[in-house]
Amino acid sequence: RRYPTVEIRAETFNGSTHVPVPSDSAFLKALLFELRLIDDHIFVEHRDTCTRINHSSVYSVRTEGGDLWPVLAFQKSGLIYACLPLVEETLEPRPPLLTVSGLSQGLALLLGIVDYISPSRKNEAEMSAKIGQLRYLLIQACPLGTPLNTNIRSLNSSFDDIQEMPTDENQPAWRSNTYKGKPQVNVCITEKVKCMQYDKRDVVDVWQVYGAVNCKCDIEGSAPNVTLSLNLPTNGPPLQDIVVHHCVTSVDPAMLMSSSAEPLDDSVYNGPYKFPFIPPSDSFNLCYYTSQVPVPPIWGCYQLIEEGSQLKITVNLKLHESIKNSFEYCEARIPFFNRGPIAQLEYKVSYGQLDLSREKSLLVWVIGQKFPKSLEVSLTGTVSFGTAGKEHPTDYVCTGNTAYVKLYFRIPDFTLTGCYVDQHSIQIFVPGKPKITASRELISSDYYIWNSKAPAPMVYKTLF
């Protein structure tokens, strides 16, 4: 969908340096080229040089009229979601991403479309029907180029069902209906931790934490005001790369300027992080953030050595003492790629139990809901294989002894940053005493421990 009003505004901001948006087909071709989905076998310096590494989903797309920036694009379940947000300032020099409010609005709209389409991705007919309805939904969600409601699923799919706009002029467009009943607020902080561990002297282990604060506010009134604060413990690492929902009415600029791309210093903003907002009617993510935590929650070491027709494996895991030892689940999965089914398995575990998958190509070490008092667990064993068939997993990266253990866990009522919501600090300017529920959780995401006895793909390598 194109918005001539937005394109006119962009031209006004940039004058002679304005880059016009090309035709849909030309833009698509340029975007596919930039994402390396076409002509990926050809080396193109401006796209493929090692000095240019993308750390975000924001791209500069080269067209005949010049470079279009910032193009927000990402892939999900075989589809590409993309938009070109308006930058309400000059593009030369390029402003920092965190100062471009259109990026967070565009991302929220794309994520709303993902949430609407994704449940149907396995049913081609249903997905085609949903994509066909998107045009009508976008007229409601983003009528003149500014997202008014990013919860696409809450919208009606046909013009016949569209209700009249609220008569209360104070009611914002993102509050699609009004609530009647006892006021209540539910807040959940979800932090996910990514990790790559190598157990090698010359390679630095890396980990990253990113969080989302989800809210559901059932409050009467056309435009209720809510203020919510995120707090950190005394020595907690500060929140960075904060992106807020468009319903937030004001925010401390220092909060938004803290970036993980820059080294931390004593002047960095460390809270409390206050968010005044007028909540949408449905559940929404109030903000997203990252943080540079000093240690990963679980340290691991994996060793796999091939001896003749057998593999000898050793896995050691240690829970850091600062981590809450109370899991909803915790398990380590050990896949074996490019080999046949496991024909023989001898093992010893110090804690938990080891299961073999139905396909006999995956070991699942169920650690359970607690680590022992020592906070350390170990697994040793030997594995031999039968003849490989088509149903067994293959991987172009994990060949030979290059292999990994992947951890899956969830710790309720805990965050790695220590971030929490003080229920007493939530201010709701409506009659009656609202019921407030606050929860938090830490979940693993892409938590890999690579075989230290073989080369592994490096996320970061020290330079000498």
Side-chain angles (χ1 to χ4, degrees), residues 36 46-56 58-59 459:
R36 297 182 177 87
H46 81 270
R47 181 190 70 177
D48 303 318
T49 175
C50 291
T51 58
R52 181 186 168 197
I53 301 174
N54 263 344
H55 295 288
S56 68
V58 179
Y59 298 89
V459 172

Side-chain angles (χ1 to χ4, degrees), residues 59 117 193 199 213 223 255 442:
Y59 298 89
I117 288 178
V193 53
D199 191 33
V213 181
M255 188 192 304
L442 176 68

